[in-house]
Amino acid sequence: MAGPQRHNHAAVPAAAASSQTSAGRPETARHRQKLAPGASSALIVVDVQNSFLPGGSLAVKDGDEVVPVINRMAAHFENVVLTQDWHPAGHISFASSHPGKKPFDVVQLDYGMQVLWPDHCVQGTSGAALAEGLDVPHAQLVIRKGFHARIDSYSAFREADKKTRTGLASYFKERGIDTVFIAGLATDFCVAWTAIDACEAGFTAYVVEDACRGIDVDGSLGKAWTEMIGVGVRRIQTDDLAP
Ligand code: VGL
Ligand code: ZN
């Protein structure tokens, strides 16, 4: 073999491969550098709540599968924030609040189009509680959203009227956090809107795809990925994180 001897374990990233001589180094030996989140990164665990788990009123298919994945991943983060969808009874996003409408219908509200959902994550109910198996004792903040009766909020940063802010961007900025990793439920709604708003607020945003599950109504999952990538969200897998 030409050039200096080099071990080529798959698990070891070829750090700075591009700045080294490539003599004798096959293309396939280039590994992407693993990401090692530090003090300026936070994991945002989105809406891992009973309503979105199998048996819940707005169950996301295989939603429970994210729980062990998130538990493992969270252990590597110094900073973890959880979100909770937190609606008052009779919330405007509930189909039951719109006579003649049914879940997954779409209506026009003052702030735009709104998908109507089954009643879910009602404040103080077991549906709104975090998944029992979620084991993230070092989480530093639980941010609740969707508590205004007449405005929905998929995003952890900004409500659906695109004006009302939750305070999360300021919290991160005060704490010197400039990079967020996002996991949870559902990929195509609360995860996607959180990631897009994170980018728009100036954060570097990664969505950890295999630590999320989607609802996928009418192609919403593909559309969400297109929008996320379009604004600069980075799509990664848990395997892209340093072990
Ligand atoms: C969500 C629909 C309604 C979510 C919340 O967490 O993705 N989806 N409310
Ligand atoms: Zn909701």
Side-chain angles (χ1 to χ4, degrees), residues 31-99:
H31 301 291
R32 258 205 287 168
Q33 182 75 55
K34 300 251 182 193
L35 297 159
S40 63
S41 292
L43 174 65
I44 308 178
V45 178
V46 175
D47 296 5
V48 183
Q49 294 169 267
N50 293 328
S51 285
F52 299 121
L53 300 183
S57 59
L58 180 41
V60 178
K61 187 171 182 293
D62 301 329
D64 53 330
E65 291 179 358
V66 304
V67 173
V69 179
I70 289 172
N71 290 345
R72 272 193 301 276
M73 185 169 52
H76 298 282
F77 281 82
E78 189 174 322
N79 302 305
V80 182
V81 168
L82 311 177
T83 75
Q84 260 180 318
D85 210 33
W86 199 251
H87 301 307
H91 190 250
I92 196 157
S93 75
F94 296 171
S96 60
S97 305
H98 302 262

Side-chain angles (χ1 to χ4, degrees), residues 131-227:
E132 207 177 320
L134 194 66
D135 185 18
V136 193
H138 59 303
Q140 297 155 347
L141 175 72
V142 180
I143 187 138
R144 290 172 168 171
K145 61 185 179 60
F147 50 75
H148 288 126
R150 304 192 55 81
I151 317 173
D152 202 5
S153 189
Y154 297 143
S155 164
F157 291 94
R158 193 169 53 155
E159 303 190 12
D161 62 357
K162 299 277 184 198
K163 292 196 291 272
T164 309
R165 308 211 143 254
T166 64
L168 185 58
S170 301
Y171 170 84
F172 283 145
K173 284 174 186 169
E174 271 202 60
R175 294 209 43 225
I177 289 165
D178 58 16
T179 302
V180 295
F181 291 76
I182 304 166
L185 306 171
T187 321
D188 38 351
F189 290 92
C190 291
V191 168
W193 287 49
T194 296
I196 290 166
D197 283 353
C199 277
E200 286 177 358
F203 297 94
T204 300
Y206 295 91
V207 169
V208 189
E209 186 173 16
D210 58 324
C212 301
R213 292 292 182 280
I215 296 175
D216 205 12
V217 274
D218 288 333
S220 57
L221 187 57
K223 199 164 153 266
W225 276 116
T226 304
E227 283 177 27

